[in-house]
């Protein structure tokens, strides 16, 4: 092969290689784009009771009786009650926040069970579904029944360039009933809210904020002697 032919072949190969690599890179970019479109972004956080203060022990009378905690009823005015918040990105796009393991109705009930257990109450393992009506109470549900409603539950993060602003709020209503008498004897509504400005965004901070307000609202509802007094009075009545 003469020198001119060799030079021509080398030049053609040099032009072919960049075109091949360009095609490969374009295909990879397209695949990544399609993968991103097919997998919407969301955040999952573990909702649970996290004590915000020293828990006062339950009155002695309250420790004698078994409390059955039912899943809560979600009364939030939102279309999708699985959602517990959103992250608002810099372009205004909202990214949903979901509970990691169970629905909010079960997560709130589990938080109440943990609080009552740590306060010294005997909490039954049963989890019957209750519509908060006296007529639907079943004798097999033990001695005392505790249910309630989720009135507000939300955590939001505004993901700005220099600062992340977290806000959270919770409002719950607890309903106590005497099972054998099929009678509701106490209702209480409690709420809590918080805000945090931080330079870092993380799911852990979302989790800390929502768990903090939920736990605080629950503690406000059951702390002090009032719940124990109401339980004692209800069970003493003929």
């Amino acid at each position: 092969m003469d020198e001119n032919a060799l030079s021509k072949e080398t030049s053609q190969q040099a032009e072919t290689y960049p075109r091949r690599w360009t095609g490969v890179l374009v295909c990879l970019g397209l695949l990544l784009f399609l993968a991103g479109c097919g997998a919407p972004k969301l955040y999952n956080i573990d909702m649970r009771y996290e004590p915000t203060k020293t828990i006062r022990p339950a009155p002695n009378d309250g420790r004698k009786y078994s409390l059955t905690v039912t899943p809560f009823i979600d009364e939030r005015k939102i279309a999708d009650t699985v959602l517990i918040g959103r992250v608002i990105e810099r372009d205004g796009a909202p990214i949903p926040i979901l509970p990691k393991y169970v629905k909010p109705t079960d997560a709130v009930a589990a938080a109440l069970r943990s609080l009552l257990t740590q306060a010294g109450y005997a909490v039954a393992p049963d989890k019957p579904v209750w519509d908060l009506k006296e007529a639907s109470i079943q004798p097999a549900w033990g001695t005392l029944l505790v249910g309630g409603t989720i009135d507000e539950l939300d955590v939001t993060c505004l993901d700005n360039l220099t600062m992340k602003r977290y806000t959270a709020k919770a409002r719950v209503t607890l309903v106590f009933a005497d099972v054998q008498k099929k009678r509701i004897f106490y209702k209480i509504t409690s709420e809590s809210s918080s805000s945090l400005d931080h330079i870092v965004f993380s799911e852990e901070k979302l989790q800390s904020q929502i768990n903090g307000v939920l736990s605080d609202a629950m503690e406000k509802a059951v702390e002090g002697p009032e719940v124990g007094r109401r339980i004692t009075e209800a069970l003493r009545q003929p």
Side-chain angles (χ1 to χ4, degrees):
M1 182 180 295
D2 61 28
E3 184 176 346
N4 290 336
L6 181 60
S7 176
K8 184 177 180 180
E9 182 179 351
T10 303
S11 177
Q12 289 175 344
Q13 290 177 347
E15 291 176 358
T16 301
Y17 290 146
R19 286 199 298 269
R20 288 177 180 173
W21 281 110
T22 300
V24 170
L25 291 174
V26 169
C27 289
L28 287 174
L30 182 59
L31 287 173
L32 290 173
F33 173 77
L34 292 174
C37 293
K41 198 175 183 183
L42 57 84
Y43 296 101
N44 294 106
I45 57 179
D46 180 13
M47 288 182 61
R48 61 175 183 264
Y49 174 63
E50 295 179 350
T52 67
K53 62 189 73 173
T54 301
I55 305 170
R56 297 181 182 180
N60 290 333
D61 286 345
R63 300 185 194 190
K64 297 178 186 177
Y65 309 107
S66 175
L67 279 78
T68 298
V69 179
T70 72
F72 275 54
I73 296 173
D74 201 329
E75 294 192 346
R76 293 176 293 161
K77 308 302 181 185
I78 58 176
D80 186 355
T81 54
V82 175
L83 293 174
I84 54 173
R86 66 206 58 79
V87 175
I88 309 300
E89 294 196 315
R90 297 164 200 170
D91 60 0
I95 301 175
I97 304 171
L98 308 179
K100 183 175 290 186
Y101 300 113
V102 295
K103 297 183 296 184
T105 51
D106 294 316
V108 171
L112 179 59
R113 286 189 196 94
S114 295
L115 170 57
L116 291 172
T117 299
Q118 291 187 40
Y121 288 96
V123 179
D126 304 320
K127 303 173 184 178
V129 177
W130 182 36
D131 60 6
L132 306 182
K133 296 178 181 178
E134 291 179 332
S136 59
I137 297 174
Q138 302 298 315
W141 292 352
T143 305
L144 296 170
L145 189 65
V146 188
T149 60
I150 304 173
D151 307 317
E152 279 189 284
L153 186 65
D154 179 82
V155 60
T156 299
C157 177
L158 297 178
D159 189 3
N160 297 317
L161 181 61
T162 58
M163 188 66 65
K164 322 302 176 186
R165 182 167 183 80
Y166 300 83
T167 57
K169 56 185 176 181
R171 186 171 74 245
V172 293
T173 298
L174 273 57
V175 181
F176 293 78
D178 182 324
V179 173
Q180 300 308 312
K181 297 173 185 173
K182 300 186 72 168
R183 182 175 67 87
I184 292 173
F185 63 85
Y186 186 44
K187 292 183 181 180
I188 183 171
T189 297
S190 181
E191 61 186 328
S192 181
S193 61
S194 71
S195 63
L196 171 69
D197 291 329
H198 202 281
I199 61 172
V200 175
F201 170 79
S202 70
E203 287 186 338
E204 288 75 15
K205 287 183 173 56
L206 292 173
Q207 180 171 297
S208 175
Q209 291 299 301
I210 192 72
N211 287 342
V213 294
L214 175 60
S215 301
D216 184 51
M218 289 292 191
E219 289 167 348
K220 289 176 181 177
V222 303
E223 70 179 350
E226 185 64 15
V227 169
R229 183 180 70 81
R230 296 275 189 161
I231 290 173
T232 301
E233 288 179 355
L235 295 177
R236 282 177 179 171
Q237 293 178 7

